[in-house]
Amino acid sequence: MTSHDITLLIVAVCSVLLLILLIVSKLRMHPLLALLVVSICVGAASGLDTTTIVDSIEEGAGKTLGGVGLQVALGAMLGKLLADSGASDQIASAILRRSNKRTLPWFMGAAAFIIGIPMFFEIGLIMLLPLIFSVASKIEKQGNIKGSAFVLIGVPVIAALATMHGMVPPHPGPLVAIAEFKANLGITMVYGIICAIPSAILAGPVYGKFISPRMTVRPDQQLLDQYTAAGVDNGKNLPESDAAPYTAAAIEKPRVSTVTSFVVILLPMLMMLSRALAETVFKNSAMINKITEFVGEPAIALLIGLLVGIILLGYVRGTDAKKLRDSLGASLKPIAGILLIIAGGGAFAKVLVNSHVGDAIIHLSSGFKLSAIAIGWLIAALLSVTTGSATVGIVGATGLLAPLVGSDPSINKELLVVAIGSGSLFFNYANHAGFWLVKESFGMSMGETFKTITIIQSIIGLVGLVMVLLLNLLPHF
């Protein structure tokens, strides 16, 4: 390493500290503004001229937003369509149909795992709250459970949704890393799901069974009445036997068929996976690979899935076209801030690249023989913990490691994406929006919220890292 490399590394560290200061101090600067301010400071401190700084910011923001903006928007529309039509509730009810009190946490986690494929953590949790509260109220009314039924049922859902949000595309964080590293989408999805399953199990049903007897959490009665009033008997007719099934009819009146619901929610994922499958199985078939390459693109897969959903969940069921259009339009408003943060993160990453900070990191890692996977996980975790944004954690780590990935073909890019995603989930605390959503929805104290979502996501982050390191020892795709 040269003295210039050391200077650049100091600039990079100071930029991260400045970013943290602007976001979490009394200034409470919006992450987009903080990212832009820090980008300018990094460019100036590293010796870039003003024109290069401006061009880097515009290029980085535009390229990043252009790469994932459509996917995020289409995913939000699809999530809104699934929620409004009742398809998501139908999927959850189908999974719960033959469950009992012992297996309910596992089935709730499975439902959230599937529903979480196209949805943000916050959207998925809000959508599943009626189901969580209805089932938990039934168990609580029966009166033979120790601790909080709401924690027992809610923890697996929180764990599954958080795991999918950080590790598995088409969520925006993994998509940003995939685009920057030029990783294979299908293989990343396979790796992500493999790592997500044990993470969601240990942080969900297993941890939920441990922590629920030690907590007395109960949501506000007014909120319970709002979510459980319709079609819920509050446990009056609940069978006393633990093995008695909780039927879907007792929870939610079906509005769409189960088959249709599963087709719509799984179609985009299957099309994205088809691309990786075709590249592996049909290597010599140019036609098949051209087709799967097209439909396997995230934007195209989500677009097709959304159009199929509009037809099957909207027009076929006689939904008013204007109401459907207004509903889809409304789904874009909550994600506007996320898209802008993504753009700001792209600008920050581009300035770092043009400042040659990445080259300094390459020299540092080659000198100390640091693992790219470990570095990626650690940077993402530190940025996420300190800034309160998993997206900032992923984008920042991706920007710093992009030069290293480009210079070292031995790095498994797909596993690195998953490692960065799992790192961004580590230690979700009071500066994360999800922390407050869980706290207020379940009526928890700060300490109770720490024992749930903070510990849950810390388990997910650590298990995800272990799984990635184990997979990295195996032969790669």
Side-chain angles (χ1 to χ4, degrees):
M1 288 185 63
T2 65
S3 59
H4 183 61
D5 288 334
I6 295 174
T7 301
L8 290 176
L9 289 174
I10 293 173
V11 168
V13 171
C14 291
S15 70
V16 173
L17 294 176
L18 177 60
L19 181 62
I20 295 166
L21 178 65
L22 293 176
I23 293 176
V24 305
S25 69
K26 291 183 179 180
L27 295 175
R28 290 291 189 271
M29 189 174 287
H30 189 278
L32 171 63
L33 298 179
L35 285 163
L36 293 178
V37 169
V38 171
S39 298
I40 294 172
C41 293
V42 169
S46 59
L48 297 180
D49 60 74
T50 54
T51 301
T52 303
I53 293 174
V54 173
D55 290 344
S56 299
I57 291 174
E58 292 178 350
E59 182 183 351
K63 182 180 178 181
T64 302
L65 193 58
V68 301
L70 278 178
Q71 292 94 307
V72 174
L74 292 170
M77 286 185 170
L78 180 59
K80 179 68 171 174
L81 179 65
L82 291 166
D84 287 351
S85 66
S88 298
D89 287 339
Q90 184 68 355
I91 291 169
S93 297
I95 293 175
L96 292 170
R97 193 166 284 128
R98 295 189 177 183
S99 63
N100 57 59
K101 191 169 68 179
R102 291 191 186 93
T103 59
L104 264 176
W106 295 85
F107 280 96
M108 287 296 293
F113 198 87
I114 294 175
I115 290 171
I117 291 171
M119 294 187 185
F120 295 107
F121 171 82
E122 290 83 0
I123 295 173
L125 182 59
I126 290 171
M127 188 185 67
L128 285 172
L129 279 179
L131 189 62
I132 295 171
F133 288 175
S134 297
V135 174
S137 294
K138 286 174 173 288
I139 298 176
E140 183 185 60
K141 191 69 176 181
Q142 187 175 346
N144 61 350
I145 182 173
K146 182 180 179 181
S148 172
F150 296 91
V151 172
L152 179 68
I153 300 301
V155 164
V157 173
I158 293 170
L161 291 174
T163 303
M164 298 301 286
H165 183 79
M167 293 189 191
V168 183
H171 289 284
L175 283 176
V176 169
I178 288 169
E180 187 68 30
F181 294 154
K182 295 181 174 57
N184 184 288
L185 174 66
I187 294 176
T188 305
M189 184 175 288
V190 171
Y191 278 140
I193 292 175
I194 292 173
C195 295
I197 291 174
S199 301
I201 289 174
L202 291 175
V206 174
Y207 179 67
K209 185 178 180 180
F210 167 79
I211 195 64
S212 59
R214 296 164 173 80
M215 300 183 71
T216 57
V217 168
R218 195 173 194 277
D220 182 76
Q221 187 59 48
Q222 186 176 3
L223 191 62
L224 278 176
D225 292 340
Q226 175 183 335
Y227 280 131
T228 62
V232 177
D233 59 7
N234 291 324
K236 294 178 181 178
N237 300 318
L238 186 67
E240 294 184 0
S241 169
D242 285 349
Y246 294 80
T247 62
I251 299 172
E252 175 72 26
K253 184 178 180 181
R255 287 176 286 180
V256 295
S257 73
T258 303
V259 172
T260 300
S261 301
F262 274 102
V263 166
V264 173
I265 201 169
L266 294 177
L267 184 59
M269 182 188 72
L270 293 175
M271 285 190 291
M272 284 185 262
L273 284 175
S274 71
R275 180 176 182 176
L277 182 63
E279 290 174 353
T280 304
V281 179
F282 303 104
K283 295 180 179 179
N284 298 323
S285 177
M287 180 59 68
I288 292 178
N289 277 284
K290 278 188 176 181
I291 294 173
T292 56
E293 184 178 355
F294 176 72
V295 300
E297 282 292 324
I300 301 300
L302 286 167
L303 176 61
I304 294 174
L306 178 59
L307 293 175
V308 171
I310 289 173
I311 295 170
L312 297 181
L313 303 178
Y315 298 148
V316 170
R317 297 174 57 247
T319 303
D320 181 77
K322 184 179 184 302
K323 290 182 178 178
L324 182 60
R325 183 190 66 187
D326 292 343
S327 176
L328 294 178
S331 70
L332 299 177
K333 295 177 182 178
I335 66 168
I338 295 174
L339 289 174
L340 290 174
I341 291 174
I342 290 173
F348 180 44
K350 187 62 177 178
V351 171
L352 287 172
V353 171
N354 288 348
S355 300
H356 300 290
V357 172
D359 294 337
I361 292 176
I362 292 175
H363 299 156
L364 175 66
S365 62
S366 62
F368 288 94
K369 305 298 180 183
L370 299 176
S371 164
I373 288 176
I375 294 174
W377 186 93
L378 184 60
I379 293 174
L382 290 174
L383 283 174
S384 178
V385 167
T386 51
T387 65
S389 172
T391 301
V392 171
I394 292 176
V395 172
T398 300
L400 287 169
L401 289 176
L404 179 62
V405 172
S407 66
D408 188 352
S410 67
I411 295 175
N412 188 314
K413 296 179 287 187
E414 291 76 20
L415 282 177
L416 181 58
V417 171
V418 180
I420 290 174
S422 62
S424 74
L425 298 173
F426 184 75
F427 204 81
N428 181 306
Y429 196 51
N431 54 348
H432 286 73
F435 180 92
W436 295 102
L437 176 62
V438 171
K439 179 183 182 301
E440 297 304 318
S441 298
F442 287 84
M444 296 179 179
S445 66
M446 289 292 288
E448 289 169 336
T449 315
F450 176 85
K451 292 177 183 177
T452 51
I453 187 169
T454 303
I455 300 300
I456 288 168
Q457 295 207 188
S458 296
I459 294 172
I460 292 170
L462 292 171
V463 175
L465 174 62
V466 171
M467 288 298 301
V468 169
L469 292 173
L470 290 175
L471 289 173
N472 196 43
L473 299 176
L474 303 174
H476 300 158
F477 287 104

